[in-house]
Amino acid sequence: MFFRMISGTLFRQWKKMLMIAFTIALGASLATAMLSVMLDVGDKVNQELKTYGANITVVPKESSVLNSLYEVEDGGSSGAYLREDELGKIKTIFWAFNIIDYAPFVNAKATLDDGSEIIAVGTWFNHHMELPTGEQLDAGVASMRNWWSITSGKWLDEQSADSRTVAMAGSALAQRLGIQPGDTVHLTGTESDITVTVVGIFDAGGDEDGRLFMPLDTAQALDGLDGKIDSIEVSALTTPENELAVQAAKDPKSLTIAQYETWYCTAYASSICYQIQEVITDSVASPVRQVAESEGAILEKTELLMTLITILSLVGSALGICNLVTASVMERSAEMGLMKAIGAQNSSVSGLVLTEIVITAIIGGTVGFFAGWGFAQIIGHTVFGSSIEMRPVVIPIVAVLVLVVTLAGCIPAIRMLLRLHPAEVLHGK
């Protein structure tokens, strides 16, 4: 009898139940879309931000001390170096897959034929290397600094046969020397001299514009620095730092064993820096604070915005459900009064109404979930150019939210139902 009454109501008031299901579906779809994007947005935003440069720098320990004490700017060699043969070890740390790009740098002071001095910077451009893990890696400034504007010429290609004798000049240096792509520049270092052909002029908008960039081994040969590098820039996917990460960055030994394991196994910038220091001899790795803090702030604001959208959509759904269910109960007040008059308890009548609404909510919530999943993919491809990964945890979260919103929307109607007096209703009052 109970189920016959429910099915009868669903068919008799199918338009109103359809509106309730539609209202629930809208809330569920927005909640699903926002939660799916929010749980996946961290990596997506990090990937976008990584196109704007490195967020970790690695320098020799001795050089780091000098820079901290005397605010020495890195315009040339400080006498302390990192080992080039250890570069592959960066991709062997615990968070190796979060290291998406890196490049070494060495600065050599070179003299031009007119007696003036310039800084020749040796680095990777599109360097290919075999890693200790058996993997292969293509890394360098061509991908890490893709905001550089190539005003004339092209990017230096390390894979070309003449890569050792080519270079790229910053716009300020090119203007000073009056050089264009195809021109040659003769450089004399402390150990050797070389003539390089300029293949491209770039505009970086910083100190790099006054320097000459060339392959790492070419710059090393100028000052006899074979196997030595001044610094490493690393681009890594990181998690916004919290109090634990800040405490660990100051002194990892101050953490308890449980705290240390949590910190070490979380992709904080500080934990990645610590792991890099473990594999690079006598090095100090530190996050670029402006970049790290910007990433954290952007992620927090993005997640806050999506949370607010989810909350507002659910509140709107609850209000819509409240109006529709209340209207339905008012239309059926005579039926409810008759049920009470023949002996039905408040719990039975309330249970009947709630069961009808919950069945409608299940239908609307299911439709809303799949619609929201589709919305999430549209957002992913439109904003980030990739699909949003399905997180299983979204399903129970959305189910609980739909149930809570549905029950919350039914509260006013149930309260009215409990106050309903059979005699008054049956007499048309």
Side-chain angles (χ1 to χ4, degrees):
M1 184 64 180
F2 182 77
F3 293 105
R4 286 179 61 189
M5 294 178 67
I6 292 175
S7 60
T9 301
L10 293 176
F11 283 109
R12 283 198 316 273
Q13 293 193 319
W14 66 270
K15 291 183 179 180
K16 197 171 295 304
M17 292 302 174
L18 182 61
M19 285 299 298
I20 294 173
F22 180 72
T23 303
I24 293 171
L26 281 178
S29 64
L30 280 172
T32 301
M34 292 299 101
L35 287 171
S36 298
V37 174
M38 187 167 61
L39 291 173
D40 201 42
V41 74
D43 288 346
K44 295 288 188 293
V45 171
N46 266 316
Q47 288 282 7
E48 291 291 322
L49 291 172
K50 290 305 163 283
T51 63
Y52 297 99
N55 56 348
I56 293 174
T57 58
V58 188
V59 297
K61 187 177 295 184
E62 181 181 331
S63 175
S64 175
V65 172
L66 289 174
N67 289 346
S68 299
L69 289 176
Y70 303 108
E71 299 183 354
V72 176
E73 292 296 330
D74 207 10
S77 172
S78 62
Y81 300 97
L82 300 173
R83 291 168 49 185
E84 182 185 356
D85 60 1
E86 292 185 331
L87 286 170
K89 293 182 179 179
I90 293 178
K91 287 290 285 183
T92 65
I93 65 172
F94 181 84
W95 285 107
F97 289 108
N98 282 51
I99 305 294
I100 59 175
D101 209 346
Y102 62 99
F105 294 87
V106 66
N107 295 325
K109 289 185 178 179
T111 304
L112 302 176
D113 290 341
D114 63 3
S116 61
E117 288 188 346
I118 65 169
I119 295 177
V121 182
T123 186
W124 290 347
F125 289 84
N126 56 335
H127 186 76
H128 180 81
M129 64 184 300
E130 304 287 336
L131 300 174
T133 58
E135 300 175 81
Q136 297 182 348
L137 173 70
D138 291 305
V141 295
S143 55
M144 285 181 63
R145 299 188 178 179
N146 57 9
W147 72 87
W148 282 8
S149 174
I150 307 300
T151 57
S152 59
K154 61 181 181 179
W155 276 99
L156 189 155
D157 182 10
E158 281 192 49
Q159 310 305 320
S160 62
D162 60 348
S163 63
R164 286 182 58 89
T165 57
V166 293
M168 294 182 69
S171 56
L173 179 65
Q175 184 177 6
R176 189 184 111 196
L177 301 179
I179 55 178
Q180 295 292 331
D183 294 344
T184 59
V185 179
H186 183 253
L187 304 172
T188 302
T190 57
E191 295 294 328
S192 66
D193 66 306
I194 189 171
T195 298
V196 295
T197 301
V198 176
V199 296
I201 308 295
F202 66 85
D203 185 0
D207 293 340
E208 297 98 334
D209 289 340
R211 301 179 181 181
L212 190 68
F213 280 72
M214 59 189 65
L216 183 65
D217 52 357
T218 303
Q220 288 171 331
L222 283 171
D223 281 354
L225 301 175
D226 292 346
K228 298 178 181 179
I229 53 177
D230 288 325
S231 63
I232 310 168
E233 291 186 6
V234 181
S235 182
L237 297 176
T238 59
T239 299
E241 303 214 339
N242 55 16
E243 293 182 5
L244 175 62
V246 172
Q247 180 184 350
K250 294 178 180 178
D251 183 13
K253 295 180 180 178
S254 65
L255 304 179
T256 64
I257 295 177
Q259 288 177 327
Y260 179 84
E261 290 178 351
T262 300
W263 169 71
Y264 195 89
C265 297
T266 305
Y268 297 121
S270 56
S271 63
I272 293 178
C273 287
Y274 183 80
Q275 292 168 28
I276 290 174
Q277 290 175 182
E278 289 182 318
V279 297
I280 303 296
T281 305
D282 293 330
S283 67
V284 173
S286 56
V288 179
R289 285 298 170 190
Q290 296 90 335
V291 175
E293 290 172 3
S294 296
E295 289 176 0
I298 291 171
L299 285 174
E300 288 175 2
K301 290 177 181 179
T302 303
E303 291 176 355
L304 176 60
L305 175 63
M306 292 184 177
T307 301
L308 289 175
I309 292 173
T310 302
I311 292 173
L312 291 174
S313 68
L314 293 175
V315 170
S317 295
L319 292 174
I321 293 168
C322 175
N323 291 332
L324 291 168
V325 175
T326 301
S328 175
V329 170
M330 290 178 65
E331 288 179 9
R332 299 169 59 196
S333 58
E335 176 188 342
M336 301 299 177
L338 180 60
M339 290 174 61
K340 284 190 174 185
I342 62 177
Q345 299 296 319
N346 282 332
S347 58
S348 300
V349 179
S350 301
L352 176 66
V353 174
L354 287 174
T355 302
E356 294 168 357
I357 302 303
V358 168
I359 291 174
T360 307
I362 292 173
I363 297 172
T366 303
V367 173
F369 174 80
F370 287 105
W373 178 240
F375 292 155
Q377 299 310 312
I378 294 174
I379 293 172
H381 285 285
T382 302
V383 179
F384 303 108
S386 62
S387 61
I388 299 296
E389 182 182 350
M390 176 60 176
R391 303 297 175 100
V393 71
V394 172
I395 298 175
I397 292 176
V398 171
V400 170
L401 289 176
V402 167
L403 180 61
V404 170
V405 167
T406 301
L407 294 178
C410 291
I411 289 175
I414 297 299
R415 289 181 63 188
M416 185 181 73
L417 188 60
L418 294 176
R419 292 197 302 265
L420 188 148
H421 297 290
E424 295 179 356
V425 174
L426 293 177
H427 280 84
K429 296 182 181 180

